[in-house]
Amino acid sequence: MPADPDRTGPRFDLAALIAERGAERYELHSRYLNPQLPRMLHTIGFDKYYERAEGPYFYDAEGNEYLDMLAGFGIFALGRHHPVVRSAIQQVMDLDLPDLVRFDCSPLPGLFAERLLSYAPGLDRVFFGNSGTEAVETALKFARYATGRRRILYADHAFHGLTTGALSVNGESGFRKGFEPLLPDTAVPLGDLAALAKELKKGDVAALIVEPIQGKGVQAPPAGWLREAQELLHAHKALLICDEVQTGVGRTGDFFAYQHEEGVLPDLVCAAKALSGGYVPVGATLGKSWIFEKVYSSMDRVLVHSASFGSNAQAMAAGLATLEVMRDEKVVENAGRIGDLFRGRLAALVERYELLAEVRGRGLMIGIEFGRPKSLKLRTGWTALQAARKGLFAQMVVVPLLQRHRILTQVSGDHLEVIKLIPPLIITERDVDRFMDAFVDVMDDAHRGSGLMWDFGRTLVKQAVGNR
C-alpha cells in the first residue's frame, strides 16, 4: 500500500504549542477549568512549572530534580514514562489495528484478562472500563443484579469515587454534600463486625464494599476482620467487594492488598490507576464467573453493561506491558522490601518528635500522623492551628518538603493531620534516604516552635478563618 502523503510528518506541532503557551498554564486553568485549583496551589506555594518527568522524578526548567511521593494519587506505580510501556503504546499504534469494532473479539482484552486473573486465583472474569470509579460502578451494579438486592454497605471514611453510584458509598460527607439524593446505601464503622451483622439481618444487603487499607488516613481494619466479614456476608447471601483501585497492583507488597490476609477471596475486586502504566486509563472489575453469568445471562443482555472506550487497544497494550514490567523487574517485591525499610525508619522517629504520633501502613502506602504535643510552647501553636482548621499542621510539613527539599507529598484527607506517602513502586533506598533527611530537617524546624514554618502556619490560619 502506498504511503499516505498526509501521514509523512506532523502538521500539528504539539511541542511548539507547549513552548508558545506553556507559561500560561495557571491562567488557562483559572479561566477555563476548575478556578479553585490554581488558587489553592498559589496559596500553598505549589504553583511550580514542571517541564518533564522520568521514573520517580520531576524536573523544572532549571533542571532541578523533584522526588515524587504522590505518584499521581497512585497511578504511576512504575514511575513516569517507563520505556517498556511507552514502547507497547507505540507498537500498538503502529499496528493500525481495527480497534473497537464492537462486533468482533479483539485478542488484546482476552490476553490482558488472562494475565491479570493469574494474579487473583479464584476470580474468573474481568470487565474493562476506563477508571477506578467505573470499576466501582460496575461492581455495585453486578452485586445488585446477582443478588437481587439493592442496598450496599460501606465503611465510614471510605473513598470509592465521585460518580453518583460510587459517591453513594463514599464515607466522607464533604464529597457528598450538595449532590443528594444518592442511592440508599449505609455506612458501618470500619472493623465493626456487630454493626455489619446488624445491617445484614435486615435481609436487603447486596454487598459490602471496602478498601483493604483506606486511602483517607491510611487506616486498616483489625487483623482478621476482612475474613470474618466475608464469612458473615456469605452467611447472609451477600457479597464482598474489595476496592483495590489504590491498594492493588503491588502497592502494599502483594499484588492485591486482600491477599495479605489468609482465607480472603472477594467476590468482586476493583482495580485501576497503576494498571495504566501511567499512559492510557484502565479500569478493571474482576469477579467470579457466576456473577458475570447472571448479569450476561442471555444474548438479549449482551450489552447490558458496557463502556465506550473499555478494552481499547492502547489501554490493553499498556496494561499488558505494565504486568510484564511488574514481573520482570520484581516491582511488587521492591514495594514490600522498600516499604518495610521506609516505615521502620519513620517509626523510629516517633520517640524523637513529640509532634509525631504514629506511622502506619503496608508496603509503599504509608501514613504519617501528627498529634498534640506535650510541651507548652508547641502546644500553643498546635492549638491555634486546630482551632482554625484541623489538618493545617500536616500542610505546614508538606509545604517545606516541596519548597525546601523538592519532595512532593500530600495531606491524606480533609481535616486530617496525616501525610500519605504513595510513591512509585520503583523507588530505591537512595530515595528513602533523601526523604528521611528532608523529613528530619522539617521536623527539627517544627519543634523549634518558631521560624518560617510557624510563620507559614499563621498564614494558613488567616486563610482558613477567612474562608469560613
Side-chain angles (χ1 to χ4, degrees):
M1 179 182 297
D4 183 343
D6 289 336
R7 296 176 63 179
T8 56
R11 290 180 293 175
F12 169 62
D13 192 334
L14 183 61
L17 179 62
I18 293 173
E20 179 186 357
R21 304 287 304 278
E24 303 172 43
R25 62 192 73 189
Y26 287 96
E27 180 186 347
L28 290 167
H29 271 261
S30 294
R31 186 178 301 167
Y32 301 117
L33 301 169
N34 178 352
Q36 298 301 332
L37 176 61
R39 182 184 177 203
M40 179 270 288
L41 295 173
H42 289 316
T43 299
I44 65 174
F46 271 41
D47 49 347
K48 302 292 185 182
Y49 283 55
Y50 303 112
E51 297 294 329
R52 67 182 184 89
E54 181 179 355
Y57 309 112
F58 306 120
Y59 299 89
D60 62 21
E62 288 72 43
N64 294 312
E65 181 185 271
Y66 295 76
L67 176 60
D68 180 16
M69 285 282 161
L70 183 55
F73 296 147
I75 292 169
F76 295 95
L78 303 182
R80 282 168 169 79
H81 307 300
H82 193 286
V84 173
V85 184
R86 176 157 53 190
S87 173
I89 300 295
Q90 291 170 337
Q91 289 178 58
V92 80
M93 293 177 71
D94 289 342
L95 287 172
D96 290 335
L97 296 174
D99 197 16
L100 299 176
V101 174
R102 302 303 179 193
F103 293 98
D104 79 332
C105 288
S106 167
L108 290 179
L111 292 169
F112 184 27
E114 180 182 60
R115 182 70 60 84
L116 182 58
L117 288 165
S118 72
Y119 291 95
L123 301 179
D124 312 297
R125 296 182 184 275
V126 184
F127 175 87
F128 288 120
N130 307 282
S131 66
T133 196
E134 279 191 52
V136 168
E137 294 282 354
T138 298
L140 299 182
K141 285 180 67 177
F142 281 26
R144 284 184 160 108
Y145 194 87
T147 62
R149 299 171 178 178
R150 296 294 171 261
R151 197 157 59 103
I152 305 290
L153 304 180
Y154 61 96
D156 288 335
H157 309 299
F159 184 92
H160 298 292
L162 297 176
T163 49
T164 301
L167 190 59
S168 299
V169 292
N170 192 314
E172 175 51 56
S173 60
F175 288 111
R176 299 164 64 97
K177 185 177 180 181
F179 296 105
E180 300 92 348
L182 299 169
L183 299 176
D185 297 323
T186 307
V188 295
L190 183 69
D192 190 332
L193 282 173
L196 176 60
K198 180 180 177 181
E199 294 300 327
L200 288 171
K201 286 177 183 177
K202 297 175 183 178
D204 63 342
V205 172
L208 167 71
I209 184 167
V210 64
E211 303 155 276
I213 301 175
Q214 288 188 336
K216 181 180 172 65
V218 193
Q219 294 284 3
W225 178 83
L226 198 58
R227 184 183 66 254
E228 292 178 89
Q230 174 184 272
E231 292 170 358
L232 198 55
L233 287 159
H234 288 172
H236 287 82
K237 296 182 169 46
L239 307 183
L240 174 62
I241 304 170
C242 278
D243 180 350
E244 296 261 10
V245 170
Q246 188 164 103
T247 56
V249 197
R251 169 64 54 192
T252 64
D254 215 327
F255 195 85
F256 288 118
Y258 74 81
Q259 293 168 336
H260 289 287
E261 191 164 316
E262 188 176 352
V264 176
L265 176 58
D267 301 287
L268 293 159
V269 172
C270 307
K273 291 188 182 291
L275 283 177
S276 67
Y279 278 96
V280 185
V282 183
T285 306
L286 294 71
K288 296 177 179 177
S289 260
W290 73 268
I291 298 172
F292 278 67
E293 288 164 5
K294 274 206 166 188
V295 173
Y296 300 111
S297 57
S298 68
M299 284 191 288
D300 289 342
R301 294 181 57 81
V302 67
L303 296 177
V304 73
H305 185 73
S306 62
S308 294
F309 284 93
S311 300
N312 71 80
Q314 289 86 358
M316 300 297 96
L320 280 164
T322 296
L323 296 184
E324 188 90 356
V325 172
M326 288 272 180
R327 182 191 66 192
D328 291 351
E329 299 184 12
K330 300 189 185 312
V331 172
V332 180
E333 293 86 343
N334 187 71
R337 182 178 64 83
I338 296 294
D340 288 346
L341 170 71
F342 207 167
R343 288 194 321 283
R345 292 184 62 182
L346 286 166
L349 298 178
V350 172
E351 293 298 317
R352 177 172 169 179
Y353 296 115
E354 58 181 295
L355 284 160
L356 184 57
E358 185 183 12
V359 175
R360 56 180 176 264
R362 189 185 290 272
L364 282 172
M365 186 172 185
I366 301 171
I368 303 172
E369 183 165 6
F370 305 101
R372 186 173 185 267
K374 295 178 181 178
S375 63
L376 178 61
K377 182 179 181 181
L378 291 177
R379 200 163 64 240
T380 301
W382 174 269
T383 302
L385 290 169
Q386 296 295 296
R389 194 175 197 276
K390 190 174 180 182
L392 292 187
F393 181 81
Q395 194 65 60
M396 275 176 54
V397 176
V398 162
V399 169
L401 282 173
L402 180 66
Q403 293 183 340
R404 294 211 305 251
H405 298 282
R406 297 196 294 271
I407 298 175
L408 180 63
T409 58
Q410 70 167 126
V411 178
S412 181
D414 206 16
H415 301 287
L416 286 181
E417 296 290 3
V418 181
I419 291 176
K420 179 167 65 175
L421 305 180
I422 45 172
L425 306 185
I426 59 169
I427 64 166
T428 65
E429 291 186 33
R430 168 182 172 269
D431 301 314
V432 174
D433 290 341
R434 175 174 171 180
F435 182 89
M436 294 301 302
D437 290 343
F439 186 69
V440 165
D441 175 68
V442 172
M443 293 303 290
D444 283 345
D445 192 1
H447 282 75
R448 293 185 187 105
S450 61
L452 291 177
M453 260 190 83
W454 288 98
D455 288 343
F456 176 65
R458 284 187 280 274
T459 300
L460 290 177
V461 168
K462 291 177 183 177
Q463 181 76 26
V465 172
N467 284 335
R468 287 178 176 174

